[in-house]
Amino acid sequence: MTHEHNHMAQNHAGHEMHKMPTRQSHGDGGSHMSHEAAMTNPQMAKEMEADMRRRFLISFILSIPIVLISPVGQSLLGISLPSFVPINLVLFVLTTPIVFWTGSIFITGTYHSLLNRKLDMSVLIATGVLAAYLFSVLLTFTTGGETFYEAAAMLVTFVLFGHWMEMRSRRGTSDALRALFDLVPPQATVLRSGKELTIPSSKVVKGDIVIARPGDKIAVDGEVIDGTTSIDESLVTGESIPVVKQTGDKVISGSINQNGSIKFRATKVGSETALAQIIKMVETAQNSKAPGQRLADRAAAILVIVAIVVGVVTFLAWFLLGHANLITALTFAVSAIVIACPDALGLATPTAVAVGTGIGAKHNILIKDAATLERTSKIQAIVLDKTGTLTEGKPKVTEVSVAPGSTEDEVLGAAASAERKSNHPISNAILEAAKKRNVPVSEDIADFEAIGGHGVRAVVNGQEIIAGTEKLMADNGIKLDILQAEIDRLLSSGNTISIIAINGKVAGAIGVADQLKATAKRAVVGLQELGIEVAMVTGDHEQVAKAIAKKLKIKRFFAQVLPGDKAEYVKKLQKEGKFVAMVGDGVNDAPALAQADIGIAIGAGTDVAIETANIVLMRSDPADILAAIKLSKATVVKMKQNLFWAAIYNLLAIPVAAGVFYQSFGWILRPEVSALLMSASSIIVATNAVLLKRIDKHLMN
């Protein structure tokens, strides 16, 4: 939102909203209602839009008779009013409330800007309006003559209309935020001192035991301590299938408990909850400035000086050197000042950012700031973590191969027992397979050690069990000759393997496969069609990585990469001169996400991954990676189009308004026509940004 809106909000807050929060602006120095406050209070945003609409409509209604009885209006309509009608006095009465009430936001904006020694769009708009108005007042109460009241009225009216259109374009995001706020239930049931109490959700504190019955919305983030249920998390994460929750599982605020009663311990409350973080990210994106906008702001400040200088030079040139009378010289000067107003520059990128981030939020694509939205369009290479990004992240045991003298149950039981204390996806798959086959899992475990990226070691029932990669076996001097052919076969078919050694001898190998996500291949192909190089990084064996890369048509992959080394492979692509994005979902992806030019956390990820990433894809859908980049590219196109229209318009129109072509071609722009044309550029910019919504229905294709 431009600062004029903020000053409008100050006025609106003072007369209608009373005690809403205020802040100091970053540019004009005035204490006023912020756009950020409006975004965190959708009702406020709605009332601000209503106030802007009301100002425009009143200004428009008063402007109609002003234009009709103005000298230009009478000339165009071929009418003349009786001589006893004090036309200038009537115009003065009609124009004054437009300038000092509906247009007061520009005057107060100028006051605060000048106090802060800043030249901005408020200064230029107010200069144009007051130049036309005050000169007309001077003529009205002194010598009489043709006035420019209609120019002042039309300038205020059209600028208000442009800002109203901008607010309308932002409404979708305000509505989206309102829907997010509504996900939090007003009340929660907690257990305190053995009694059930119903309290406001805002009063729940960490450690409280919260009760959720069927149909209840989850008030805060927590961990289930009793009961089993299924929870609909679609409104928060975008995942359409309800998730089964039992003891130890996490629950998210804003999700809906479906068919069971549970008790959970509150772990995050207030601004710490996942839902609050989502809202904060959307708000931050809405209120941040893209690099292009910062350039536009600097250009607008320069144009303020240029417009005033052009106005003064135009007047002096025509009055002193061009032998024009005072009225003609002032007409050119005021026209030049009015048409130089760079209001469209102020709308150019904020409107596109508002619409773009709103579309993203609608599709569970959370973009942290405007700079990220703009920079994402520059991605030249993207590194995709395999597990959880391209695959489901839920591997299953496909086959158990055994060495002579061992049985499948023996190998599977030994592996499951050793893996009991690990939370690695492969460990979980082995434990699940043992459970399904009714293979006993020992609890007599000692000296457990997880070897990052390679496997585990433990003593089970007095026997040393090592489970993991070929490298882990080699490091422990375990020979694989008798199983090498089976190991190679499992690897070449795309399985990740866990080799099991008992008391220093190989006993078997377990093949584990992780299903590719349904949209993984389409996402990869789509990225490549955009000219983006796709690389995959995985801790898997070279042969497994090669098999998966072949299925996905990925030409470049990095295999057997330790978790802590992923960032090095991102850096490797950056050293090749590429603008690199990294996509991952786990704690061990955080360094790589931070190293990348754009970090993307997928599937809500972990808290660490989300904190490090620039973009968060709440769903575990690779297609959203492609959608985020398409959205960025489309938004940047709108930004560039808007900046072009705003800049080229001023460059072409100022010479005409200043009368450069008057003597040669007879071209002249009266101030009111300049006001109309200047405002037209603002309307074009706002409308063009709204057209970005057309990508919405195609975003997921």
Side-chain angles (χ1 to χ4, degrees), residues 397-561:
V397 171
T398 59
E399 191 173 345
V400 180
S401 295
V402 298
S406 299
T407 66
E408 288 189 14
D409 284 358
E410 180 186 359
V411 170
L412 189 58
S417 299
E419 300 275 14
R420 278 187 73 247
K421 293 187 177 181
S422 172
N423 60 0
H424 192 278
I426 291 178
S427 303
N428 295 333
I430 292 173
L431 285 164
E432 185 65 27
K435 182 178 178 181
K436 284 185 178 180
R437 297 190 188 192
N438 294 317
V439 174
V441 178
S442 176
E443 295 186 5
D444 182 8
I445 302 170
D447 300 330
F448 174 82
E449 180 187 2
I451 302 147
H454 294 295
V456 299
R457 178 190 289 108
V459 176
V460 179
N461 296 329
Q463 294 183 309
E464 184 188 48
I465 309 294
I466 299 176
T469 63
E470 289 180 275
K471 185 178 186 304
L472 182 59
M473 298 299 133
D475 289 345
N476 285 274
I478 298 169
K479 296 181 179 180
L480 304 178
D481 298 354
I482 56 176
L483 264 185
Q484 193 62 58
E486 281 296 295
I487 291 171
D488 291 341
R489 182 183 64 80
L490 288 170
L491 289 171
S492 62
S493 60
N495 285 282
T496 299
I497 60 166
S498 179
I499 303 169
I500 314 303
I502 301 175
N503 291 330
K505 292 184 178 181
V506 65
I510 300 174
V512 178
D514 193 0
Q515 286 291 107
L516 288 173
K517 291 181 178 177
T519 57
K521 185 174 181 179
R522 177 161 62 89
V524 169
V525 172
L527 290 168
Q528 291 170 336
E529 288 175 348
L530 290 177
I532 297 172
E533 179 184 353
V534 179
M536 181 182 74
V537 62
T538 177
D540 281 337
H541 192 281
E542 181 88 12
Q543 288 177 266
V544 177
K546 184 176 181 179
I548 293 172
K550 185 176 180 181
K551 289 179 182 178
L552 295 174
K553 296 187 177 181
I554 295 175
K555 297 178 181 178
R556 192 171 187 180
F557 61 88
F558 308 112
Q560 294 178 292
V561 178

Side-chain angles (χ1 to χ4, degrees), residues 445-694:
I445 302 170
D447 300 330
F448 174 82
E449 180 187 2
I451 302 147
H454 294 295
V456 299
R457 178 190 289 108
V459 176
V460 179
N461 296 329
Q463 294 183 309
E464 184 188 48
I465 309 294
I466 299 176
T469 63
E470 289 180 275
K471 185 178 186 304
L472 182 59
M473 298 299 133
D475 289 345
N476 285 274
I478 298 169
K479 296 181 179 180
L480 304 178
D481 298 354
I482 56 176
L483 264 185
Q484 193 62 58
E486 281 296 295
I487 291 171
D488 291 341
R489 182 183 64 80
L490 288 170
L491 289 171
S492 62
S493 60
N495 285 282
T496 299
I497 60 166
S498 179
I499 303 169
I500 314 303
I502 301 175
N503 291 330
K505 292 184 178 181
V506 65
I510 300 174
V512 178
D514 193 0
Q515 286 291 107
L516 288 173
K517 291 181 178 177
T519 57
K521 185 174 181 179
R522 177 161 62 89
V524 169
V525 172
L527 290 168
Q528 291 170 336
E529 288 175 348
L530 290 177
I532 297 172
E533 179 184 353
V534 179
M536 181 182 74
V537 62
T538 177
D540 281 337
H541 192 281
E542 181 88 12
Q543 288 177 266
V544 177
K546 184 176 181 179
I548 293 172
K550 185 176 180 181
K551 289 179 182 178
L552 295 174
K553 296 187 177 181
I554 295 175
K555 297 178 181 178
R556 192 171 187 180
F557 61 88
F558 308 112
Q560 294 178 292
V561 178
L562 295 175
D565 294 338
K566 292 179 182 179
E568 292 301 315
Y569 290 89
V570 172
K571 196 180 296 184
K572 181 177 181 180
L573 290 173
Q574 290 173 324
K575 288 180 179 178
E576 295 174 7
K578 297 182 175 71
F579 192 86
V580 182
M582 168 71 194
V583 186
D585 73 332
V587 173
N588 56 32
D589 297 322
L593 293 172
Q595 174 63 43
D597 298 294
I598 299 290
I600 303 175
I602 189 170
T606 63
D607 292 344
V608 177
I610 290 175
E611 187 65 29
T612 310
N614 305 104
I615 298 174
V616 177
L617 309 177
M618 296 303 293
R619 302 189 299 183
S620 297
D621 189 347
D624 286 353
I625 303 168
L626 181 60
I629 295 173
K630 284 183 176 180
L631 176 61
S632 172
K633 288 181 177 293
T635 304
V636 168
V637 167
K638 289 300 179 186
M639 288 181 184
K640 290 179 178 178
Q641 289 174 348
N642 284 352
L643 288 171
F644 171 80
W645 281 111
I648 199 68
Y649 173 83
N650 290 92
L651 291 175
L652 295 178
I654 289 176
V656 179
V660 172
F661 303 104
Y662 177 63
Q663 291 184 328
S664 300
F665 302 99
W667 294 354
I668 186 171
L669 285 178
R670 284 183 56 86
E672 60 270 25
V673 179
S674 295
L676 173 62
L677 294 177
M678 180 281 302
S679 299
S681 68
S682 297
I683 295 168
I684 289 172
V685 163
T687 304
N688 189 46
V690 173
L691 291 177
L692 182 60
K693 291 183 178 180
R694 291 187 301 180

Side-chain angles (χ1 to χ4, degrees), residues 209-287:
I209 305 302
V210 185
I211 299 172
R213 297 185 173 89
D216 287 351
K217 286 184 178 179
I218 304 298
V220 296
D221 291 0
E223 182 177 321
V224 178
I225 60 172
D226 184 39
T228 301
T229 188
S230 59
I231 291 184
D232 180 0
E233 298 180 341
S234 59
L235 293 176
V236 181
T237 67
E239 299 292 351
S240 58
I241 300 174
V243 182
V244 175
K245 300 289 184 179
Q246 52 193 1
T247 302
D249 290 335
K250 294 180 179 180
V251 293
I252 307 172
S253 62
S255 55
I256 301 172
N257 186 30
Q258 290 199 320
N259 54 21
S261 293
I262 57 170
K263 295 177 183 177
F264 64 91
R265 180 176 288 103
T267 56
K268 293 182 180 179
V269 299
S271 61
E272 298 177 345
T273 66
L275 184 59
Q277 292 300 312
I278 292 171
I279 293 171
K280 181 181 177 182
M281 288 174 66
V282 177
E283 291 168 353
T284 301
Q286 289 287 304
N287 295 299

Side-chain angles (χ1 to χ4, degrees), residues 329-455:
L330 280 173
T331 297
F332 284 126
V334 173
S335 294
I337 292 173
V338 169
I339 207 163
C341 173
D343 190 55
L345 281 175
L347 301 177
T349 65
T351 337
V353 168
V355 176
T357 52
I359 292 172
K362 178 179 177 181
H363 291 286
N364 297 99
I365 298 169
L366 306 181
I367 300 166
K368 284 194 172 180
D369 51 48
T372 294
L373 181 63
E374 184 172 335
R375 292 170 66 242
T376 299
S377 66
K378 301 176 182 178
I379 293 173
Q380 297 170 306
I382 189 163
V383 180
L384 305 174
D385 182 48
K386 178 185 76 72
T387 304
T389 301
L390 295 171
T391 65
E392 295 290 351
K394 298 175 182 177
K396 296 180 180 179
V397 171
T398 59
E399 191 173 345
V400 180
S401 295
V402 298
S406 299
T407 66
E408 288 189 14
D409 284 358
E410 180 186 359
V411 170
L412 189 58
S417 299
E419 300 275 14
R420 278 187 73 247
K421 293 187 177 181
S422 172
N423 60 0
H424 192 278
I426 291 178
S427 303
N428 295 333
I430 292 173
L431 285 164
E432 185 65 27
K435 182 178 178 181
K436 284 185 178 180
R437 297 190 188 192
N438 294 317
V439 174
V441 178
S442 176
E443 295 186 5
D444 182 8
I445 302 170
D447 300 330
F448 174 82
E449 180 187 2
I451 302 147
H454 294 295

